[in-house]
Amino acid sequence: MRTYLVTGGAGFIGSNYIHYMFKKYDKEIRIINVDALTYAGNPENLKSIENRDNYTFIKADICDKETISRIFAENDIDRVVHFAAESHVDRSIKNPEIFVRTNVLGTAVMLNCAQAAWELPDGTYKKDKKFLHVSTDEVYGSLEEDGGYFYETTPYAPHSPYSASKAGSDMLVRSFMDTYHFPANITNCSNNYGPYQFPEKLIPLIINNALQGKKLPVYGDGKNVRDWLYVEDHAKAIDMVQEKGRLFETYNVGGHNEKQNIEIIHIILDTLREMLSDDDPRKALVTDDLITYVEDRKGHDRRYAIAPDKIRAEIGWEPETMFKEGIKRTIQWYFEHEDWMRNVTSGEYQKYYEENYGKR
Ligand code: NAD
Ligand code: TYD
């Protein structure tokens, strides 16, 4: 039975990954989830699996070396899947330090502790131990509107404090592979969407605001392009890279699903109108008039687009969920989880919203 140490498993992608893994492997694996439960971590995301015998939750900060070492000492960890990070660009523009702390220092602690637990006296490693570092395509910077893709060989050129700190964490993983022959992989994925995404990110924010007849804030001209991937396809890619990928390699993950932000907003509005029944009072609120152009994000990257050639050719991974289907599933999930949305948008969220959007 393989034992996984997942960091940041109470966040958006981490919780989807844990659900995916239990669906796929059921009792064949054990998962230990280490999460500090910041504003972005939510135990509700894992309610349906929290009582499993093969699941353990530990509330801890990845920068806390003593606790992380102890977890490695007390458990024979076979796989680390490292999601824990500060993940929102707008927050990084307002408060960069916490991004450096969690994303860079936290990754160094995870690498150090895994290495100490797995390395043998002769400098080789215990058999079949693997560390996967979950990263983003934002480390590659921004593409021109009319062409080009991010390849694994594209030079790093991050622009935001978020992407700079993720680039720093990727470089640390690379340095461990190069210096200590540490058994790791890096995945650089495009923008994810799906259930459990915190409504500071574009797609859940637009769904939530539209259903309440609130303004839909579009940064700049709305023509920035992102390459959207359904989160379950990302979870599957992570598992496939860890089991079928070549160690020490980086794999880009994306689905050739490029869309301008304004297109995304129109698709969400159309899909909401299609899915809401005529007698639902929210239907009348969902109008195009809600779209509001606001001051652009500072240093706003124009376009991201992944070339997933390597992961497809070497591992056979392809996205399964087309955007039309994925966005319907996502909206349906938010319809069925109104309480989840209410809980995460009460209190602190209001303060964040006022700070980020109040003066725009
Ligand atoms: P998220 O913000 O939803 O979740 C982050 C999780 O990490 C939360 O549960 C939070 O409590 C936890 N965490 C934060 N600081 C911590 C600390 N110091 N110690 C322990 N836990 C801590 O993020 P997400 O969108 O799920 O992203 C997960 C990972 O995937 C990140 O590394 C991110 O860079 C990467 N990624 C995200 C996307 C995307 O579109 N969301 C795309 C590509 C890569
Ligand atoms: P976001 O979901 O924050 O992801 P990222 O910045 O990591 O790509 O934003 C996606 C795109 O949507 C990005 O170009 C910024 C834009 N955006 C808006 O136009 N309005 C919003 O309120 C938000 C949150 C994002």
Side-chain angles (χ1 to χ4, degrees), residues 149-152 251-254 256 306-317:
Y149 292 99
F150 296 138
Y151 290 88
E152 289 79 0
Y251 292 92
N252 282 356
V253 186
H256 279 309
I306 283 276
D309 305 16
K310 180 173 169 182
I311 191 168
R312 189 189 301 131
E314 284 191 16
I315 297 179
W317 175 87

Side-chain angles (χ1 to χ4, degrees), residues 77-129:
I77 306 291
D78 300 297
R79 301 279 184 273
V80 173
V81 183
H82 176 38
F83 294 97
E86 287 293 332
S87 70
H88 189 41
V89 174
D90 290 326
R91 288 187 192 250
S92 81
I93 293 167
K94 290 224 148 51
N95 184 14
E97 287 97 333
I98 179 84
F99 285 72
V100 177
R101 182 185 179 274
T102 293
N103 300 0
V104 183
L105 178 62
T107 299
V109 169
M110 289 306 303
L111 289 164
N112 253 319
C113 294
Q115 196 211 6
W118 292 346
E119 197 179 24
L120 295 167
D122 67 356
T124 62
Y125 288 85
K126 290 182 187 163
K127 205 165 156 262
D128 198 30
K129 305 291 186 190

Side-chain angles (χ1 to χ4, degrees), residues 132-140 150-152 154 156 166-167 169-170 174 185-192 229 234 238 241 249-254 306-308 311:
L132 190 139
H133 176 62
V134 181
S135 192
T136 163
D137 60 356
E138 303 192 23
V139 298
Y140 298 121
F150 296 138
Y151 290 88
E152 289 79 0
T154 303
Y156 275 28
K166 289 297 289 187
S169 67
D170 292 14
R174 288 186 184 189
N185 287 104
I186 300 172
T187 53
N188 293 92
C189 188
S190 62
N191 285 61
N192 284 214
L229 183 72
H234 186 190
I238 289 169
V241 165
E249 292 291 321
T250 288
Y251 292 92
N252 282 356
V253 186
I306 283 276
I311 191 168

Side-chain angles (χ1 to χ4, degrees), residues 264-322:
I264 292 284
I265 293 172
H266 281 296
I267 293 171
I268 293 173
L269 290 173
D270 290 344
T271 314
L272 282 171
R273 285 188 285 255
E274 191 188 306
M275 289 174 72
L276 287 165
S277 62
D278 287 340
D279 57 3
D280 191 318
R282 293 175 299 179
K283 191 161 185 165
L285 302 174
V286 182
T287 66
D288 290 4
D289 300 341
L290 299 176
I291 294 174
T292 310
Y293 287 87
V294 299
E295 188 191 326
D296 206 356
R297 174 186 279 171
K298 289 184 174 67
H300 197 173
D301 286 338
R302 193 61 176 168
R303 174 172 164 257
Y304 302 144
I306 283 276
D309 305 16
K310 180 173 169 182
I311 191 168
R312 189 189 301 131
E314 284 191 16
I315 297 179
W317 175 87
E318 300 236 32
E320 281 170 22
T321 308
M322 294 299 102

